[in-house]
């Protein structure tokens, strides 16, 4: 259709071919295929000039209108991709969302007022594609998938318990001591009942058990504050409690496996401006931290 319109606008096959940057034969064949497809002649041809048939004149006018509409749609789509706008659907873990995204989302919307953020807080492992999310915040080890992952920040975790619990049950000194302590377990870990620690003697794993197993860090924090046992939580949840002494870190010379905070999204190709700017915004907010300690101060 666009080749046919160009032939009419240029006044001939040779001039249209020059404008389109192709051979005259290609232009002629394209118009012939179009006429064969429609089952009617669009152009009257002579050795010196072309002219529109009656059907060709009607068809030309409609083609021109359609192609102009296509140009307009493509222009709008281009503007949409360059400018953050529209609804941005985000999934994030409950504790992280309440503690950190609640204050960052207003800042993002202030910077990009044409974006509407729809935030879903859940500690379950959402299917980004099937459930229609633009992106999800994930904390911990990432399973293999076709999703693109952008690291936002490290997430340092610590073993901790309340002073009352430690006074009553004693303080674990080595990883194997955890086997005889009440442990408060995060259910969404890949191996919830096994804690792996890196320390002076290398990597050690210990099977743990206890009165509470939950898929939400705030539940485990509350249980630890109540003196129910030892827990393993990110500093973005227990940072203020460690700073105030309500919780105390144990096993200082041992550390759990490093985990990170990631933004995951379906594809890097044709990434919308709203997703790109939101991810970059999170990286700017958290990405300058090297060990996760900012969450102790910022929480």
């Amino acid at each position: 259709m666009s080749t046919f319109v160009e032939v009419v606008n240029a006044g001939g096959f040779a001039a249209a071919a020059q404008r389109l940057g192709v051979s005259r034969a290609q232009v002629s064949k394209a118009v012939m295929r179009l006429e064969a497809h429609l089952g009617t002649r669009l152009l009257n041809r002579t050795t010196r000039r072309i002219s529109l048939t009656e059907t060709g004149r009607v068809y030309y006018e409609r083609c021109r209108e359609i192609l102009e509409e296509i140009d307009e749609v493509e222009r709008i789509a281009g503007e949409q991709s360059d400018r953050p706008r529209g609804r941005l659907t985000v999934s994030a873990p409950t504790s992280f969302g309440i503690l950190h995204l609640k204050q960052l989302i207003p800042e993002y919307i202030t910077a990009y007022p044409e974006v509407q953020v729809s935030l879903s807080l859940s500690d379950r492992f959402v299917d980004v594609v099937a459930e229609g999310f633009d992106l999800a915040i994930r904390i911990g080890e990432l399973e293999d998938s076709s999703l693109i992952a952008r690291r936002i920040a490290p997430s340092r975790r610590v073993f901790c318990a309340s002073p009352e619990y430690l006074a009553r049950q004693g303080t674990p000194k080595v990883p194997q001591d955890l086997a005889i302590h009440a442990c408060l377990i995060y259910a969404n870990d890949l191996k919830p009942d096994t804690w792996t620690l890196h320390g002076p003697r290398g990597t050690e794993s210990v099977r743990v058990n206890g009165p509470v197993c939950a898929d939400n860090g705030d539940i485990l924090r509350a249980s630890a504050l109540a003196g129910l046992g030892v827990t393993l939580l990110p500093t973005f949840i227990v940072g203020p409690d460690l700073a105030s002494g309500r919780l105390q870190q144990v096993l200082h010379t041992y550390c759990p496996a490093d985990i990170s905070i990631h933004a995951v999204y379906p594809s890097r190709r044709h990434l919308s401006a709203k997703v790109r700017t939101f991810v970059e915004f999170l990286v700017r907010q958290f990405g300058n931290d090297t060990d996760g300690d900012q969450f102790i101060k910022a929480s």
Side-chain angles (χ1 to χ4, degrees):
M1 289 171 64
S2 59
T3 300
F4 165 68
V5 168
E6 193 61 54
V7 168
V8 177
N9 290 341
F13 291 97
Q18 187 173 9
R19 290 185 183 183
L20 295 172
V22 297
S23 69
R24 186 186 186 285
Q26 286 177 282
V27 172
S28 179
K29 287 179 181 178
V31 174
M32 290 174 64
R33 284 195 301 269
L34 179 61
E35 290 177 323
H37 170 71
L38 296 172
T40 187
R41 179 177 289 276
L42 300 173
L43 294 172
N44 292 314
R45 303 160 175 84
T46 67
T47 55
R48 294 188 176 183
R49 60 188 297 272
I50 62 166
S51 63
L52 288 165
T53 64
E54 183 177 353
T55 301
R57 188 173 303 281
V58 174
Y59 189 72
Y60 165 76
E61 291 298 333
R62 288 295 293 125
C63 284
R64 190 168 55 80
E65 292 172 4
I66 290 169
L67 291 171
E68 287 175 356
E69 289 179 5
I70 290 173
D71 287 341
E72 176 65 10
V73 169
E74 290 181 346
R75 183 189 65 78
I76 293 171
E79 288 180 354
Q80 290 273 37
S81 65
D82 292 337
R83 195 161 119 204
R85 63 192 305 176
R87 184 166 300 279
L88 176 69
T89 55
V90 181
S91 170
T94 304
S95 298
F96 186 80
I98 292 172
L99 290 171
H100 297 287
L101 294 184
K102 70 177 182 183
Q103 59 200 34
L104 294 183
I105 285 176
E107 293 181 28
Y108 174 79
I109 291 177
T110 299
Y112 302 101
E114 293 185 78
V115 178
Q116 303 89 45
V117 176
S118 178
L119 177 64
S120 174
L121 298 181
S122 174
D123 289 308
R124 69 181 179 86
F125 192 85
V126 302
D127 187 324
V128 175
V129 176
E131 298 181 45
F133 287 102
D134 290 309
L135 70 117
I137 307 298
R138 298 243 167 101
I139 302 174
E141 297 180 58
L142 296 178
E143 296 181 348
D144 291 338
S145 75
S146 60
L147 299 176
I148 305 301
R150 174 79 181 272
R151 186 175 184 268
I152 294 173
S155 178
R156 189 164 70 89
R157 296 182 296 169
V158 295
F159 299 97
C160 59
S162 70
E164 294 76 18
Y165 174 85
L166 297 175
R168 187 174 68 248
Q169 300 295 336
T171 301
K173 304 295 185 184
V174 295
Q176 295 309 316
D177 289 345
L178 293 170
I180 59 172
H181 275 269
C183 294
L184 312 173
I185 300 168
Y186 184 59
N188 283 351
D189 279 339
L190 293 180
K191 294 182 179 179
D193 61 350
T194 301
W195 286 354
T196 300
L197 305 87
H198 306 288
R201 295 182 294 183
T203 300
E204 300 181 55
S205 295
V206 57
R207 293 290 295 274
V208 295
N209 205 341
V212 179
C213 179
D215 65 358
N216 177 263
D218 285 316
I219 298 297
L220 300 179
R221 170 183 173 266
S223 299
L225 289 170
L228 297 185
V230 180
T231 192
L232 170 61
L233 285 174
T235 55
F236 72 77
I237 293 178
V238 296
D241 301 310
L242 296 172
S244 69
R246 292 189 299 269
L247 292 176
Q248 293 181 3
Q249 185 177 352
V250 298
L251 297 167
H252 292 77
T253 57
Y254 297 87
C255 61
D258 290 336
I259 61 174
S260 294
I261 304 170
H262 287 89
V264 298
Y265 42 91
S267 175
R268 185 179 286 115
R269 292 188 62 206
H270 308 304
L271 189 63
S272 68
K274 61 186 178 181
V275 173
R276 184 181 67 252
T277 54
F278 188 72
V279 171
E280 290 172 351
F281 175 78
L282 293 178
V283 170
R284 286 196 303 272
Q285 295 295 322
F286 299 123
N288 60 347
D289 188 40
T290 57
D291 60 7
D293 280 332
Q294 69 163 356
F295 294 114
I296 295 178
K297 300 187 285 287
S299 297

